[in-house]
Amino acid sequence: MQLVVARIGRAHGIKGEVTVEVRTDEPELRLGPGAVLATDPASTGPLTIETGRVHSGRLLLRFEGVRDRTGAEALRNTLLIAEIDPEELPEDEDEYYDHQLMDLDIVTKDGVEVGRITEISHLPSQDLFIVERPDGSEVMIPFVEAIVTEIDLEEQRAIIDPPPGLIDGRAEVASARDDEAPSGDDA
């Protein structure tokens, strides 16, 4: 099974290093020197990691055969893909690989069916489940503990406790004006 582990960003310096947007919770395992990664687009790979280092909080990688800024810049926006055993699970029991979550049914804590996960969007601040509803529309659900309260892989479902307006479009708007007394001009 293939797992996207990073996206190559800008070239860094003139010796072939690139910045990478890490998309794995296990970068030391997936993005270490000697790792051979498939790519998307496939024509740019496979790529073998020669060196890696952290600079100003950002992971920098250099690949075998890429020695200058021009070669590094040519790799920009390439996805790095690791081959993993489909039975392999993350070390932390509260972590999941995308393939484990795809096609899970989303159900509210009250048992109301919301839909099925069709995509997972990885954003800098949080991950989002893209959920296809039974009517064909889509809803985005933040994959945060306050909303996604349980993942049950055996039952193939995720249980959510959505705030008002997340899935039904009817947000509750609280206003300080609602608590104020009437002006007294009722005549």
mmCIF file of all heavy atoms in Angstrom, residues 60-82:
data_model
loop_
_atom_site.group_PDB
_atom_site.id
_atom_site.type_symbol
_atom_site.label_atom_id
_atom_site.label_comp_id
_atom_site.label_asym_id
_atom_site.label_seq_id
_atom_site.Cartn_x
_atom_site.Cartn_y
_atom_site.Cartn_z
ATOM 1 N N LEU A 60 14.552 19.810 5.771
ATOM 2 C CA LEU A 60 15.222 19.959 4.483
ATOM 3 C C LEU A 60 15.759 18.595 4.070
ATOM 4 O O LEU A 60 16.360 17.889 4.883
ATOM 5 C CB LEU A 60 16.394 20.947 4.580
ATOM 6 C CG LEU A 60 16.076 22.358 5.060
ATOM 7 C CD1 LEU A 60 17.360 23.174 5.160
ATOM 8 C CD2 LEU A 60 15.087 23.033 4.127
ATOM 9 N N LEU A 61 15.532 18.218 2.826
ATOM 10 C CA LEU A 61 16.043 16.957 2.295
ATOM 11 C C LEU A 61 16.892 17.223 1.065
ATOM 12 O O LEU A 61 16.659 18.182 0.322
ATOM 13 C CB LEU A 61 14.892 16.024 1.899
ATOM 14 C CG LEU A 61 13.945 15.541 2.991
ATOM 15 C CD1 LEU A 61 12.854 14.666 2.387
ATOM 16 C CD2 LEU A 61 14.690 14.790 4.076
ATOM 17 N N ARG A 62 17.870 16.323 0.841
ATOM 18 C CA ARG A 62 18.628 16.311 -0.404
ATOM 19 C C ARG A 62 18.521 14.890 -0.949
ATOM 20 O O ARG A 62 18.636 13.921 -0.198
ATOM 21 C CB ARG A 62 20.084 16.690 -0.194
ATOM 22 C CG ARG A 62 20.834 16.733 -1.516
ATOM 23 C CD ARG A 62 22.320 17.060 -1.438
ATOM 24 N NE ARG A 62 22.836 17.348 -0.143
ATOM 25 C CZ ARG A 62 23.380 18.507 0.222
ATOM 26 N NH1 ARG A 62 23.451 19.497 -0.631
ATOM 27 N NH2 ARG A 62 23.860 18.670 1.429
ATOM 28 N N PHE A 63 18.271 14.793 -2.246
ATOM 29 C CA PHE A 63 18.105 13.500 -2.888
ATOM 30 C C PHE A 63 19.336 13.155 -3.709
ATOM 31 O O PHE A 63 19.998 14.045 -4.267
ATOM 32 C CB PHE A 63 16.868 13.513 -3.798
ATOM 33 C CG PHE A 63 15.600 13.806 -3.043
ATOM 34 C CD1 PHE A 63 15.056 15.080 -3.039
ATOM 35 C CD2 PHE A 63 14.968 12.809 -2.314
ATOM 36 C CE1 PHE A 63 13.894 15.359 -2.336
ATOM 37 C CE2 PHE A 63 13.814 13.083 -1.603
ATOM 38 C CZ PHE A 63 13.277 14.359 -1.609
ATOM 39 N N GLU A 64 19.629 11.855 -3.811
ATOM 40 C CA GLU A 64 20.740 11.398 -4.640
ATOM 41 C C GLU A 64 20.546 11.889 -6.067
ATOM 42 O O GLU A 64 19.435 11.835 -6.602
ATOM 43 C CB GLU A 64 20.826 9.868 -4.623
ATOM 44 C CG GLU A 64 21.300 9.322 -3.295
ATOM 45 C CD GLU A 64 21.416 7.800 -3.282
ATOM 46 O OE1 GLU A 64 21.225 7.150 -4.334
ATOM 47 O OE2 GLU A 64 21.692 7.255 -2.208
ATOM 48 N N GLY A 65 21.619 12.423 -6.645
ATOM 49 C CA GLY A 65 21.567 12.886 -8.029
ATOM 50 C C GLY A 65 21.102 14.326 -8.192
ATOM 51 O O GLY A 65 21.144 14.860 -9.299
ATOM 52 N N VAL A 66 20.632 14.973 -7.132
ATOM 53 C CA VAL A 66 20.191 16.370 -7.219
ATOM 54 C C VAL A 66 21.263 17.208 -6.526
ATOM 55 O O VAL A 66 21.405 17.153 -5.307
ATOM 56 C CB VAL A 66 18.812 16.575 -6.546
ATOM 57 C CG1 VAL A 66 18.392 18.037 -6.640
ATOM 58 C CG2 VAL A 66 17.779 15.672 -7.182
ATOM 59 N N ARG A 67 22.019 17.981 -7.319
ATOM 60 C CA ARG A 67 23.187 18.671 -6.778
ATOM 61 C C ARG A 67 23.112 20.195 -6.836
ATOM 62 O O ARG A 67 23.992 20.864 -6.339
ATOM 63 C CB ARG A 67 24.447 18.225 -7.537
ATOM 64 C CG ARG A 67 24.772 16.788 -7.339
ATOM 65 C CD ARG A 67 25.449 16.599 -5.987
ATOM 66 N NE ARG A 67 25.595 15.189 -5.693
ATOM 67 C CZ ARG A 67 24.974 14.586 -4.702
ATOM 68 N NH1 ARG A 67 24.171 15.246 -3.916
ATOM 69 N NH2 ARG A 67 25.153 13.304 -4.469
ATOM 70 N N ASP A 68 22.066 20.735 -7.467
ATOM 71 C CA ASP A 68 22.013 22.189 -7.574
ATOM 72 C C ASP A 68 20.584 22.696 -7.406
ATOM 73 O O ASP A 68 19.634 21.919 -7.343
ATOM 74 C CB ASP A 68 22.610 22.660 -8.907
ATOM 75 C CG ASP A 68 21.891 22.103 -10.122
ATOM 76 O OD1 ASP A 68 20.728 21.654 -10.010
ATOM 77 O OD2 ASP A 68 22.484 22.121 -11.212
ATOM 78 N N ARG A 69 20.468 24.009 -7.333
ATOM 79 C CA ARG A 69 19.175 24.641 -7.110
ATOM 80 C C ARG A 69 18.202 24.350 -8.249
ATOM 81 O O ARG A 69 17.016 24.132 -8.016
ATOM 82 C CB ARG A 69 19.364 26.150 -6.927
ATOM 83 C CG ARG A 69 18.077 26.862 -6.572
ATOM 84 C CD ARG A 69 18.321 28.341 -6.269
ATOM 85 N NE ARG A 69 17.104 28.954 -5.786
ATOM 86 C CZ ARG A 69 16.704 28.970 -4.530
ATOM 87 N NH1 ARG A 69 17.437 28.403 -3.597
ATOM 88 N NH2 ARG A 69 15.566 29.557 -4.185
ATOM 89 N N THR A 70 18.693 24.308 -9.474
ATOM 90 C CA THR A 70 17.831 24.053 -10.628
ATOM 91 C C THR A 70 17.196 22.666 -10.521
ATOM 92 O O THR A 70 15.989 22.502 -10.732
ATOM 93 C CB THR A 70 18.625 24.180 -11.950
ATOM 94 O OG1 THR A 70 19.201 25.486 -11.991
ATOM 95 C CG2 THR A 70 17.733 23.954 -13.148
ATOM 96 N N GLY A 71 18.002 21.664 -10.175
ATOM 97 C CA GLY A 71 17.472 20.306 -10.005
ATOM 98 C C GLY A 71 16.488 20.223 -8.854
ATOM 99 O O GLY A 71 15.458 19.545 -8.942
ATOM 100 N N ALA A 72 16.770 20.937 -7.775
ATOM 101 C CA ALA A 72 15.882 20.942 -6.615
ATOM 102 C C ALA A 72 14.562 21.622 -6.955
ATOM 103 O O ALA A 72 13.484 21.146 -6.603
ATOM 104 C CB ALA A 72 16.563 21.632 -5.439
ATOM 105 N N GLU A 73 14.647 22.760 -7.669
ATOM 106 C CA GLU A 73 13.430 23.499 -8.015
ATOM 107 C C GLU A 73 12.547 22.690 -8.964
ATOM 108 O O GLU A 73 11.322 22.796 -8.932
ATOM 109 C CB GLU A 73 13.799 24.848 -8.631
ATOM 110 C CG GLU A 73 12.674 25.837 -8.669
ATOM 111 C CD GLU A 73 12.084 26.212 -7.304
ATOM 112 O OE1 GLU A 73 12.829 26.435 -6.335
ATOM 113 O OE2 GLU A 73 10.837 26.281 -7.211
ATOM 114 N N ALA A 74 13.130 21.826 -9.780
ATOM 115 C CA ALA A 74 12.357 20.984 -10.708
ATOM 116 C C ALA A 74 11.486 19.975 -9.965
ATOM 117 O O ALA A 74 10.521 19.451 -10.529
ATOM 118 C CB ALA A 74 13.298 20.264 -11.673
ATOM 119 N N LEU A 75 11.816 19.704 -8.707
ATOM 120 C CA LEU A 75 11.045 18.731 -7.913
ATOM 121 C C LEU A 75 9.883 19.371 -7.161
ATOM 122 O O LEU A 75 9.073 18.668 -6.549
ATOM 123 C CB LEU A 75 11.966 18.037 -6.893
ATOM 124 C CG LEU A 75 13.100 17.206 -7.477
ATOM 125 C CD1 LEU A 75 14.011 16.716 -6.363
ATOM 126 C CD2 LEU A 75 12.548 16.043 -8.283
ATOM 127 N N ARG A 76 9.774 20.682 -7.210
ATOM 128 C CA ARG A 76 8.760 21.411 -6.443
ATOM 129 C C ARG A 76 7.351 20.853 -6.689
ATOM 130 O O ARG A 76 6.976 20.552 -7.808
ATOM 131 C CB ARG A 76 8.796 22.887 -6.803
ATOM 132 C CG ARG A 76 7.964 23.734 -5.892
ATOM 133 C CD ARG A 76 8.150 25.194 -6.220
ATOM 134 N NE ARG A 76 7.648 25.988 -5.125
ATOM 135 C CZ ARG A 76 7.958 27.230 -4.923
ATOM 136 N NH1 ARG A 76 8.771 27.849 -5.724
ATOM 137 N NH2 ARG A 76 7.438 27.878 -3.903
ATOM 138 N N ASN A 77 6.580 20.702 -5.616
ATOM 139 C CA ASN A 77 5.199 20.194 -5.599
ATOM 140 C C ASN A 77 5.083 18.699 -5.885
ATOM 141 O O ASN A 77 3.975 18.195 -6.035
ATOM 142 C CB ASN A 77 4.290 20.987 -6.541
ATOM 143 C CG ASN A 77 4.091 22.394 -6.048
ATOM 144 O OD1 ASN A 77 3.965 22.622 -4.848
ATOM 145 N ND2 ASN A 77 4.086 23.355 -6.952
ATOM 146 N N THR A 78 6.191 17.998 -5.934
ATOM 147 C CA THR A 78 6.159 16.541 -6.101
ATOM 148 C C THR A 78 5.746 15.899 -4.779
ATOM 149 O O THR A 78 6.237 16.276 -3.712
ATOM 150 C CB THR A 78 7.548 16.015 -6.519
ATOM 151 O OG1 THR A 78 7.893 16.579 -7.781
ATOM 152 C CG2 THR A 78 7.576 14.499 -6.610
ATOM 153 N N LEU A 79 4.835 14.940 -4.845
ATOM 154 C CA LEU A 79 4.449 14.182 -3.648
ATOM 155 C C LEU A 79 5.420 13.024 -3.468
ATOM 156 O O LEU A 79 5.784 12.356 -4.444
ATOM 157 C CB LEU A 79 3.026 13.645 -3.789
ATOM 158 C CG LEU A 79 1.915 14.686 -3.861
ATOM 159 C CD1 LEU A 79 0.561 14.013 -4.067
ATOM 160 C CD2 LEU A 79 1.884 15.564 -2.621
ATOM 161 N N LEU A 80 5.825 12.782 -2.229
ATOM 162 C CA LEU A 80 6.694 11.652 -1.892
ATOM 163 C C LEU A 80 5.829 10.549 -1.296
ATOM 164 O O LEU A 80 5.056 10.801 -0.369
ATOM 165 C CB LEU A 80 7.776 12.090 -0.911
ATOM 166 C CG LEU A 80 8.717 13.179 -1.422
ATOM 167 C CD1 LEU A 80 9.671 13.623 -0.326
ATOM 168 C CD2 LEU A 80 9.488 12.688 -2.641
ATOM 169 N N ILE A 81 5.981 9.340 -1.830
ATOM 170 C CA ILE A 81 5.090 8.242 -1.476
ATOM 171 C C ILE A 81 5.907 7.052 -0.968
ATOM 172 O O ILE A 81 6.814 6.576 -1.656
ATOM 173 C CB ILE A 81 4.263 7.815 -2.708
ATOM 174 C CG1 ILE A 81 3.486 9.025 -3.235
ATOM 175 C CG2 ILE A 81 3.344 6.655 -2.370
ATOM 176 C CD1 ILE A 81 2.896 8.829 -4.606
ATOM 177 N N ALA A 82 5.579 6.584 0.222
ATOM 178 C CA ALA A 82 6.248 5.425 0.819
ATOM 179 C C ALA A 82 5.377 4.193 0.637
ATOM 180 O O ALA A 82 4.147 4.270 0.680
ATOM 181 C CB ALA A 82 6.506 5.664 2.299
#
